[in-house]
Structure formats: C-alpha cells, structure tokens
Amino acid sequence: MSTSTAVVNPVLRVAPAAPAEAAAYFRASLVFHADVSDVAAALAADGDPGFVVLDSRSTEAWDQGHIPGAVHLPTALVPEQAEQLLDKNVPVVTYCWGPGCNGATRSALALAELGYQVKEMLGGFEYWAREGFAFETWEGAERRDTDPLTAPVGAESCGC
C-alpha cells in the first residue's frame, strides 16, 4: 500500500484570496501608499499637485539629500510642530530613508492622529535617488543615474 501526499508549492500553500477580497485589500493599500514615480510625476506637472511632501528624517539626513520642495519635519517633532508647518486641508505624503526604515510610517501615524490626511511614499528617499529623480543637498542640486533595477533607464515612467 503506497501513500501519496500531494506536494503544494510554497506560493500556493496558502490559497490566494477571493477576487473581491483581493480587490478590497489592494484598493486599501493604494489609499495608504503612493510610489516614488507617481509622486515625482505629480510634482513635475504644472500647477499644484494637491499634496505636500514631508521628509521625516533627521537634519543630517535632510542635508545629505531630500526631495525638492519637501517640508522637513523629523518624526519625533510631528506632534509639536505639524500645525505650524502643515495645513490640515492639504494631504501629506511622508517619506524617510527607504524600505528598511519605518520613520515615514511613524510620521504618517502621528499626522493621522492629529487629523491630517496622509499617505506614505513607498521606497522613500532611497528609491527617489535610485530612480534618477533630482534631489537637493546642503551643497545644491544633484541627480544620480537611474538604477536599471528600479526603473527603466531614460523612460518617463516605469509604465506600471
């Protein structure tokens, strides 16, 4: 007597969600997140993008490089300084170093608790620079070559 057990691959070991559940989850994700390319495109378009970008890192990190036009407000200072720097009627997009840092998440939480509409920019400053977008440092404007692992070189957008 031979016993046969079906081997399920690691991807399908837990079955995918039902389509309606998946749609709700991914819609919710987009409510909370923006990506670097979308933020850059909105900032580059003529006119008001309809949001403000907030860099939640330290002054040393800000000086090393930040998104042009961003507001600098380190996460720890959000509760005491947000109302002096931000308008509650204007959505805020937070960022920190990159995917390995949760400063933007903590900053977004603090802002939401204060009554701000907020999204977190996925990839943070790391992906802003890696995708070849211009940034400012204490020495002036800079731009790095596009990392082909993060965005197509020479393209206007990733096409996502």
Side-chain angles (χ1 to χ4, degrees):
M1 179 165 146
S2 100
T3 309
S4 163
T5 36
V7 176
V8 178
N9 73 51
V11 172
L12 299 176
R13 188 173 295 139
V14 174
E21 282 182 278
Y25 172 84
F26 293 118
R27 182 172 285 102
S29 179
L30 293 171
V31 167
F32 299 111
H33 300 110
D35 74 15
V36 167
S37 293
D38 289 344
V39 171
L43 294 176
D46 290 334
D48 179 1
F51 61 88
V52 64
V53 177
L54 185 138
D55 185 316
S56 65
R57 301 171 303 146
S58 69
T59 299
E60 294 81 10
W62 169 267
D63 288 346
Q64 191 173 323
H66 58 272
I67 295 173
V71 171
H72 181 227
L73 181 57
T75 301
L77 301 177
V78 167
E80 60 193 60
Q81 294 184 9
E83 290 187 8
Q84 299 161 19
L85 299 171
L86 303 168
D87 180 344
K88 285 190 178 176
N89 296 314
V90 178
V92 179
V93 176
T94 64
Y95 75 91
C96 59
W97 274 111
C101 177
N102 69 1
T105 305
R106 288 184 284 116
S107 182
L109 172 60
L111 288 166
E113 288 175 340
L114 292 170
Y116 290 88
Q117 299 173 69
V118 63
K119 288 189 175 201
E120 179 182 4
M121 185 177 79
L122 298 174
F125 182 73
E126 175 189 350
Y127 276 74
W128 183 273
R130 289 180 71 187
E131 290 189 25
F133 298 116
F135 57 93
E136 296 175 348
T137 73
W138 68 274
E139 295 177 310
E142 281 192 41
R143 173 178 254 137
R144 295 187 179 176
D145 290 339
T146 302
D147 178 342
L149 296 176
T150 63
V153 176
E156 287 292 315
S157 76
C158 65
C160 299

